[in-house]
Amino acid sequence: MNDYLKDFDVPAKHPSEAALRKWRDAVSLVKNRHRRFRHVADLEKRSIHQNRLRKIKEDLRVTFMAMRAAMRFIDAAAHPQNVHEHHQPRHVTFSEFTNNPDKLASMVRNYDVKTLRSLRGVDGIAEAIDVSLDEGIKSSELSIRQETYGINKYTEKPSKSFFMFVWEALHDLTLIILIVCAVVSIGVGLATEGWPDGIYDGLGILLSILLVVTVTAVSDYKQSLQFKDLDKEKKKISSHVTRDGYRKKISIYDLVVGDIVHLSIGDQVPADGIFISGYNLLIDESSLTGESNPVNIDEKKPFLLAGTKVQDGSAKMLVTAVGMKTEWGKLMETLSEEGEDETPLQVKLNGVATIIGKIGLVFAVLTFLVLTVRFLVEKAMHNQFSSWSSSDALTMLDYFATAVTIIVVAVPEGLPLAVTLSLAFAMKKLMNDKALVRHLSACETMGSSTCICTDKTGTLTTNHMIVDKIWVSGETKDVRDNEGRVLSSKLLEGVSNVLLQGIFECTGSEVVKDKNGKKNILGTPTESAILQYGLDLGGDFNATHSEIKMLKMEPFNSAKKKMSVIVALPDGQIRAFCKGASEIVLGLCDKIIDRNGEAVPMSEEKVKVVTDVIEEFAVDALRTLCLAYLDVEGGFDGQQNIPERGYTLIAVVGIKDPVRPGVKEAVGTCLAAGITVRMVTGDNINTAKAIAKECGILTVGGLAIEGPEFRTLTTEQLNEIAPRIQVMARSSPTDKYDLVKHLRGMSEVVAVTGDGTNDAPALHESDIGFAMGIAGTEVAKEQADVIVMDDDFATIVKVAKWGRAVYINIQKFVQFQLTVNIVALMINFVSACLTGSAPLTAVQLLWVNLIMDTLGALALATEPPNEGLMKRPPVKRTDSFITKTMWRNIIGQSIYQMAVLFVLNFAGKPILNLHGSNATAVLNTFIFNTFVFCQVFNEINSRDIDKINIFRGMFSSWIFIGVMISTVVFQVIIVEFLGTFASTVPLDWELWLLSIVIGFVSMPIAVVLKCIPVEKAAVKQQHDGYEILPDGSEQV
């Protein structure tokens, strides 16, 4: 079958438009395009949308460039005597902006600096909209501000109602043909048999169609609700604001005009606003204008636009426009629902459905031709060819309806839809397990992952950091005792002062008080740990900040691995502070504070002492940072760069970040599942190795390497050692990207975690990108496929487990459905050829279709994962989806069922001792009943493709149990009470029991089949037992 599926192959991530169009063109037989292609991208809409988006972005880009050019011209033309003109109100008044959202929005959108200056800048705007830049808005004003200025939400397309899904389900071509047949049957029946006998056959088909459409619509509608809930979760973005004098975290949808928003690296600007204060703010406006060059924002260029990203620096901004008053809101309104790219499994199963559908169509046509030819021959033999009655027309109509129903059964429209159902179910469950899947394909791909490149901090560790040790004035001091209590640290006053200055000034975090007066630290865990240590020493954060004036700040980023500030002390001294990775800061220092608190030259001997201390801390699994200062002579101009050398080392700080509970077990689960775990961290190599050993990542024969060494390796060397790399320390985001790219080139399926802005390229390059929900930036989340909402490595393992469950569940469903298809096709076709009648009527086949399609998908595609899934190797990209084991089970069960049904069809009356006028009706009912119970028990058999114990976990899967019970109950109703419509007659208890027994026999047959060995493909091995996956060019 793989040769026929070559057109149905797309990559899991970033497929080309040509690949997407290729498989669509190959799908030649579709019963219901509305339903089949509901969960795939609409390429025509996408193309229209992208063209429209490009035009809007280009218009915005040109407009903004023109406005900025005008601003530069105005600034250049300004005369010295007019420097303070902007403090004098001219033609603009405050009242024009009070309660006037359009005027506020227009000023920011049009980059109207002239108007802003005439209003005394951001202070004047704050006065106009009645807000304090220090205290923020009052919570009691929220509703009034929302009414006046609008809410921060965008116009969205309304979701489909249930009746829309009913309408789409009715677009099935075969069902439409059957409806026409049913109506004709009722018309002819009424003319020949009268009321009510003439309507039963047609009404039975209509009722069956109604049942199929209702169940299909309910299933699809519930799926849509799941996707709607997931979509809401995807759009949840938080922002830090100052309200009621306190800093707090809120949803961006709760922002109002007047809010004071705090921005940092990786944040999305949540609304239009004006710059209040900040350092080195660099904004990426590409999402809005398509312009790749970032823009510096400061007092001279103060306007910030919603939807843009903070590339560097930090700032506070005043919100001036929200929701549909912003350019971003208008841009969001133009976005159409063109759909998400389909997953490889969806595409592959579309191919399977197409192939089987073609086969079914041939059988349906042959069945109709055979029945028709036999009927015509019989009429000719009885010399009745020239005389036609309405009953003859009904017979021909029944033949046609049976043939159409065979197409209904034969075209497995539910195969690709079962993937969507399974993925939706898995995504809903994973959301409860703190994993938000942003892209359908990610869950599916994770089931095939062979490698996870994970961060250390916050993923393998708790991210609850505390300062455990400090080396200062030549001594190592324990900060806490064994019970975690703070120990007193006696430091010389001069050393203590400069240390506290460095801690409180060289930080991007804040110490704030809540409503109860309790101190809280807002910032990264590392910064929070150091600030807390400063508070434990008796320092006063706010007092230090009020005494010292900040002149310039260079915030921390993962490329520089340090942050620097320059301040003016109360006595006028200009002092720079630097904090960051130990070896980086140590390299900037040429002096050190000795035991006497004096700054002395940094000799080679002292460098070795400090290096030994850093290594000692690292071996104890502590993160190490250095603090240093530099007194700057001759003043400082804000345009100058902060000095990069000549610093004096103050201290080496050792920060403890405990390993998360359960991480070692989760890593062990990965290794047992054939998934290699690699730690990629910016920490010291000794710290990384200690944590990796504690987690079970670094094993005997594994390799720990540093980023600088990794960068020097050739491709040949990388090919040799990449499989053995288990730890990469002191790595940059570029190192992570290069490692991921190389591993993918070796045919590994790579998952990677990231939280920072600079992790975005690696997340984009990987097969599955995981962003951290707590520590992750919005930029990282936007590039990720899955957001780990609790930042826990164990959650990533849950995604892998569910990914494998999705794959195996779809395999179970395909095995079950193909068995039903083969048997239903063969029994009707062979019977038609030999006896001139089909034992399964149109109504019965519609019920069988419901069992094997919608209900079968519900039962088998929603099975939860079991532990055994993580004890087998990952599925390779080139593995055949329908395996030899599945073919063994399909063929075995089909032979058994066909043997039983053919015997009953051709010799059932004597075997069952059936006599009388209704013997044929009883036999056909018994065949139908037996066929259905064979499917019920085979559905249970399909719960495990290769294991004998198919009952494991069955009774905890309430969906499976519910489907089984519903199927049996409705089968009883059809046979016993709906015979008039379904062409059945009631059966006695012996025949019921025999039907059940015949169905049950398929279970021991399944046991026998599973004992038959199937050929296993040979696996190529490399040194150290590393398995090389097929490169994609090999045939499966």
Side-chain angles (χ1 to χ4, degrees):
M1 183 174 280
N2 292 295
D3 292 334
Y4 296 104
L5 292 176
K6 59 181 181 295
D7 291 334
F8 296 89
D9 189 24
V10 296
K13 207 167 181 181
H14 317 306
S16 66
E17 186 172 331
L20 296 177
R21 289 193 182 280
K22 185 178 180 183
W23 81 261
R24 283 167 174 75
D25 294 338
V27 177
S28 55
L29 188 65
V30 181
K31 294 189 297 181
N32 188 343
R33 300 193 73 85
H34 286 268
R35 188 164 182 255
R36 173 78 83 86
F37 296 114
R38 180 186 297 134
H39 296 291
V40 302
D42 187 327
L43 299 182
E44 303 306 324
K45 276 188 181 179
R46 176 178 291 182
S47 178
I48 294 169
H49 155 66
Q50 287 174 344
N51 290 334
R52 186 192 306 152
L53 197 61
R54 273 194 292 269
K55 186 177 184 307
I56 293 171
K57 284 187 174 184
E58 180 61 21
D59 291 344
L60 287 172
R61 187 182 70 83
V62 171
T63 303
F64 292 159
M65 285 180 70
M67 289 174 182
R68 287 185 183 126
M71 286 168 56
R72 285 195 293 270
F73 178 77
I74 291 168
D75 289 338
H79 294 290
Q81 64 266 29
N82 297 326
V83 168
H84 298 288
E85 265 191 11
H86 62 274
H87 294 295
Q88 306 300 320
R90 292 198 291 263
H91 61 283
V92 182
T93 61
F94 290 116
S95 59
E96 291 181 49
F97 289 86
T98 303
N99 300 331
N100 193 336
D102 293 323
K103 195 87 172 175
L104 278 168
S106 175
M107 181 181 63
V108 176
R109 183 169 61 247
N110 296 326
Y111 281 76
D112 193 350
V113 177
K114 192 174 180 181
T115 299
L116 180 65
R117 288 174 179 172
S118 69
L119 288 166
R120 295 187 293 108
V122 69
D123 293 310
I125 294 295
E127 185 179 332
I129 60 176
D130 191 26
V131 64
S132 163
L133 294 180
D134 295 321
E135 302 287 322
I137 66 167
K138 296 181 177 63
S139 297
S140 57
E141 302 172 353
L142 282 177
S143 58
I144 297 172
R145 288 182 178 273
Q146 286 179 338
E147 287 176 15
T148 305
Y149 299 104
I151 58 174
N152 199 29
K153 291 183 179 178
Y154 315 121
T155 304
E156 294 183 0
K157 185 179 177 182
S159 55
K160 290 181 182 178
S161 67
F162 171 72
F163 295 104
M164 280 301 296
F165 287 96
V166 173
W167 177 246
E168 287 185 358
L170 283 168
H171 277 74
D172 189 313
L173 180 61
T174 52
L175 293 186
I176 293 170
I177 294 171
L178 286 176
I179 290 171
V180 172
C181 290
V183 171
V184 172
S185 175
I186 290 172
V188 175
L190 285 172
T192 56
E193 300 178 38
W195 176 271
D197 293 342
I199 69 167
Y200 289 142
D201 289 344
L203 189 59
I205 294 175
L206 290 176
L207 290 175
S208 300
I209 291 170
L210 178 63
L211 179 64
V212 169
V213 166
T214 303
V215 173
T216 301
V218 168
S219 175
D220 292 347
Y221 180 62
K222 285 193 170 184
Q223 270 187 60
S224 76
L225 293 180
Q226 286 182 322
F227 282 120
K228 190 176 179 181
D229 291 341
L230 289 166
D231 200 46
K232 282 182 182 176
E233 287 293 328
K234 290 178 194 177
K235 292 177 181 176
K236 283 185 179 178
I237 301 173
S238 297
S239 200
H240 284 275
V241 299
T242 297
R243 280 185 183 174
D244 303 312
Y246 301 102
R247 187 165 162 177
K248 57 181 70 173
K249 191 176 182 181
I250 65 167
S251 167
I252 64 168
Y253 302 115
D254 296 330
L255 280 177
V256 294
V257 169
D259 264 321
I260 310 300
V261 177
H262 300 258
L263 299 172
S264 56
I265 296 177
D267 284 349
Q268 176 176 306
V269 179
D272 284 1
I274 302 172
F275 177 89
I276 299 172
S277 62
Y279 307 98
N280 300 338
L281 188 63
L282 201 61
I283 297 293
D284 176 9
E285 294 185 347
S286 59
S287 58
L288 196 61
T289 66
E291 185 64 47
S292 58
N293 294 326
V295 179
N296 282 297
I297 301 294
D298 50 28
E299 289 84 355
K300 292 181 180 179
K301 292 185 286 185
F303 298 118
L304 290 146
L305 299 172
T308 57
K309 308 289 192 308
V310 180
Q311 189 167 310
D312 201 1
S314 60
K316 288 197 298 182
M317 72 170 238
L318 173 67
V319 174
T320 56
V322 293
M324 297 307 298
K325 299 291 184 185
T326 67
E327 289 295 340
W328 182 250
K330 294 170 184 175
L331 193 64
M332 290 296 101
E333 188 181 24
T334 66
L335 297 182
S336 61
E337 296 289 331
E338 78 272 7
E340 186 177 341
D341 284 337
E342 48 273 23
T343 73
L345 204 50
Q346 282 176 318
V347 174
K348 194 171 285 188
L349 290 180
N350 264 294
V352 173
T354 300
I355 294 167
I356 296 170
K358 289 177 179 177
I359 297 170
L361 180 61
V362 171
F363 272 90
V365 171
L366 288 175
T367 302
F368 178 69
L369 289 176
V370 168
L371 289 171
T372 304
V373 169
R374 283 187 64 105
F375 178 72
L376 294 175
V377 169
E378 285 179 5
K379 281 188 73 69
M381 290 175 65
H382 292 87
N383 297 319
Q384 296 175 349
F385 200 79
S386 57
S387 61
W388 287 80
S389 64
S390 55
S391 63
D392 292 334
L394 273 178
T395 301
M396 291 290 290
L397 191 65
D398 285 342
Y399 291 163
F400 182 71
T402 301
V404 172
T405 314
I406 286 175
I407 298 175
V408 174
V409 176
V411 180
E413 201 92 320
L415 279 183
L417 297 171
V419 181
T420 311
L421 174 66
S422 187
L423 288 170
F425 183 79
M427 288 165 72
K428 186 75 174 175
K429 292 293 183 182
L430 281 169
M431 194 164 72
N432 297 333
D433 286 338
K434 304 297 182 186
L436 174 60
V437 180
R438 296 182 71 247
H439 301 130
L440 274 175
S441 59
C443 188
E444 179 185 305
T445 307
M446 194 59 196
S448 301
S449 62
T450 61
C451 162
I452 301 174
C453 295
T454 177
D455 293 331
K456 175 184 76 68
T457 306
T459 306
L460 298 172
T461 60
T462 60
N463 221 13
H464 296 148
M465 300 187 191
I466 54 171
V467 175
D468 191 61
K469 290 182 181 180
I470 187 168
W471 184 87
V472 61
S473 296
E475 291 182 58
T476 298
K477 300 178 182 293
D478 287 323
V479 175
R480 299 173 187 276
D481 62 18
N482 293 333
E483 296 181 8
R485 291 173 299 202
V486 179
L487 299 171
S488 61
S489 297
K490 294 182 179 179
L491 299 174
L492 294 173
E493 185 178 354
V495 177
S496 177
N497 286 341
V498 75
L499 177 61
L500 287 174
Q501 286 173 1
I503 289 173
F504 291 149
E505 291 301 316
C506 194
T507 181
S509 300
E510 291 184 58
V511 179
V512 298
K513 289 184 179 180
D514 61 17
K515 293 179 181 178
N516 301 319
K518 183 182 176 183
K519 289 182 179 178
N520 289 315
I521 300 173
L522 298 175
T524 65
T526 304
E527 297 248 15
S528 299
I530 296 173
L531 278 180
Q532 185 60 55
Y533 174 64
L535 296 174
D536 292 339
L537 286 177
D540 188 325
F541 178 84
N542 293 321
T544 304
H545 258 273
S546 62
E547 292 172 358
I548 298 174
K549 182 182 178 183
M550 178 75 67
L551 301 178
K552 189 171 184 178
M553 174 190 284
E554 289 181 0
F556 179 88
N557 69 44
S558 54
K560 296 180 293 187
K561 296 191 183 300
K562 68 179 179 67
M563 78 170 292
S564 304
V565 298
I566 194 158
V567 299
L569 300 180
D571 60 4
Q573 173 67 56
I574 305 299
R575 179 170 287 175
F577 289 98
C578 181
K579 175 181 72 181
S582 303
E583 69 274 16
I584 302 293
V585 176
L586 184 59
L588 305 179
C589 296
D590 58 14
K591 297 184 186 68
I592 187 171
I593 295 179
D594 67 4
R595 293 177 183 273
N596 301 317
E598 301 292 331
V600 297
M602 178 85 76
S603 63
E604 288 187 13
E605 183 183 345
K606 287 184 171 61
V607 170
K608 186 177 186 308
V609 169
V610 176
T611 303
D612 289 343
V613 169
I614 292 169
E615 289 188 4
E616 178 189 330
F617 283 10
V619 168
D620 288 340
L622 300 179
R623 298 189 74 192
T624 59
L625 297 174
C626 284
L627 276 167
Y629 79 97
L630 168 65
D631 286 333
V632 179
E633 303 299 332
F636 180 80
D637 177 5
Q639 301 302 315
Q640 294 175 255
N641 292 324
I642 298 176
E644 290 287 328
R645 60 174 63 87
Y647 282 83
T648 300
L649 184 67
I650 305 171
V652 179
V653 181
I655 300 174
K656 187 175 184 180
D657 186 12
V659 171
R660 283 183 182 272
V663 162
K664 188 170 185 178
E665 291 77 9
V667 170
T669 301
C670 286
L671 297 178
I675 304 172
T676 305
V677 181
R678 293 180 169 91
M679 179 199 289
V680 184
T681 178
D683 276 353
N684 179 291
I685 192 166
N686 291 317
T687 306
K689 285 165 71 174
I691 296 291
K693 285 177 181 175
E694 188 177 347
C695 295
I697 292 172
L698 187 57
T699 58
V700 177
L703 182 65
I705 191 172
E706 289 188 312
E709 180 186 351
F710 175 79
R711 285 168 227 150
T712 64
L713 298 174
T714 65
T715 304
E716 291 73 21
Q717 289 172 322
L718 276 174
N719 288 336
E720 177 68 23
I721 72 165
R724 292 173 44 233
I725 293 176
Q726 293 176 342
V727 175
M728 186 189 289
R730 283 295 177 232
S731 66
S732 68
T734 305
D735 296 328
K736 182 190 281 190
Y737 172 84
D738 290 339
L739 177 63
V740 170
K741 189 173 181 180
H742 192 84
L743 289 170
R744 289 191 75 209
M746 298 178 71
S747 295
E748 290 229 39
V749 180
V750 183
V752 67
T753 69
D755 50 22
T757 304
N758 291 332
D759 286 326
L763 291 168
H764 185 268
E765 173 65 23
S766 65
D767 293 288
I768 317 100
F770 288 88
M772 300 299 109
I774 299 171
T777 62
E778 289 306 319
V779 173
K781 291 176 186 176
E782 195 174 81
Q783 288 295 334
D785 303 293
V786 181
I787 297 173
V788 182
M789 293 187 285
D790 60 359
D791 290 13
D792 193 346
F793 181 80
T795 303
I796 298 172
V797 180
K798 290 176 185 175
V799 178
K801 189 184 290 186
W802 270 104
R804 292 188 175 197
V806 167
Y807 191 87
I808 199 74
N809 284 348
I810 300 304
Q811 283 187 316
K812 296 173 190 175
F813 176 60
V814 169
Q815 176 181 297
F816 168 70
Q817 192 168 54
L818 289 184
T819 305
V820 183
N821 271 348
I822 291 170
V823 177
L825 284 177
M826 293 306 297
I827 190 70
N828 264 20
F829 175 69
V830 174
S831 296
C833 291
L834 298 181
T835 67
S837 65
L840 300 177
T841 65
V843 173
Q844 292 168 1
L845 283 173
L846 283 170
W847 170 234
V848 169
N849 180 65
L850 194 61
I851 293 173
M852 76 170 190
D853 199 327
T854 307
L855 295 179
L858 273 174
L860 293 171
T862 59
E863 287 261 86
N866 58 65
E867 294 304 318
L869 290 175
M870 298 302 284
K871 293 178 182 176
R872 59 176 74 182
V875 178
K876 299 173 190 175
R877 280 172 166 159
T878 50
D879 277 356
S880 174
F881 178 73
I882 304 178
T883 63
K884 293 178 180 178
T885 305
M886 291 169 65
W887 279 121
R888 176 197 64 191
N889 298 339
I890 292 167
I891 293 169
Q893 289 291 344
S894 298
I895 290 172
Y896 165 69
Q897 291 185 25
M898 285 190 293
V900 169
L901 295 176
F902 281 140
V903 168
L904 290 174
N905 193 50
F906 298 116
K909 290 180 184 177
I911 293 174
L912 299 175
N913 197 25
L914 298 177
H915 306 286
S917 58
N918 68 340
T920 301
V922 171
L923 179 62
N924 285 341
T925 302
F926 180 71
I927 291 172
F928 166 59
N929 204 40
T930 302
F931 178 67
V932 168
F933 275 100
C934 281
Q935 308 325 314
V936 169
F937 285 101
N938 193 39
E939 201 161 352
I940 299 172
N941 288 330
S942 298
R943 290 193 70 251
D944 202 308
I945 292 172
D946 49 9
K947 296 289 190 298
I948 291 175
N949 182 10
I950 40 88
F951 296 106
R952 181 179 57 182
M954 186 175 84
F955 297 102
S956 60
S957 178
W958 62 269
I959 296 179
F960 187 89
I961 295 297
V963 169
M964 291 294 98
I965 292 172
S966 301
T967 303
V968 172
V969 168
F970 208 78
Q971 178 65 15
V972 172
I973 293 170
I974 288 173
V975 171
E976 295 295 323
F977 305 106
L978 299 179
T980 307
F981 303 104
S983 303
T984 60
V985 294
L987 300 176
D988 57 33
W989 70 268
E990 290 97 340
L991 291 179
W992 270 103
L993 182 61
L994 185 57
S995 292
I996 295 170
V997 168
I998 292 172
F1000 176 79
V1001 170
S1002 67
M1003 298 184 78
I1005 287 174
V1007 173
V1008 173
L1009 289 171
K1010 288 172 184 177
C1011 293
I1012 300 172
V1014 290
E1015 183 183 352
K1016 291 186 179 180
V1019 176
K1020 294 184 287 185
Q1021 295 286 332
Q1022 189 179 320
H1023 59 81
D1024 297 320
Y1026 187 81
E1027 180 181 319
I1028 294 189
L1029 298 177
D1031 61 12
S1033 60
E1034 299 178 23
Q1035 293 295 319
V1036 180

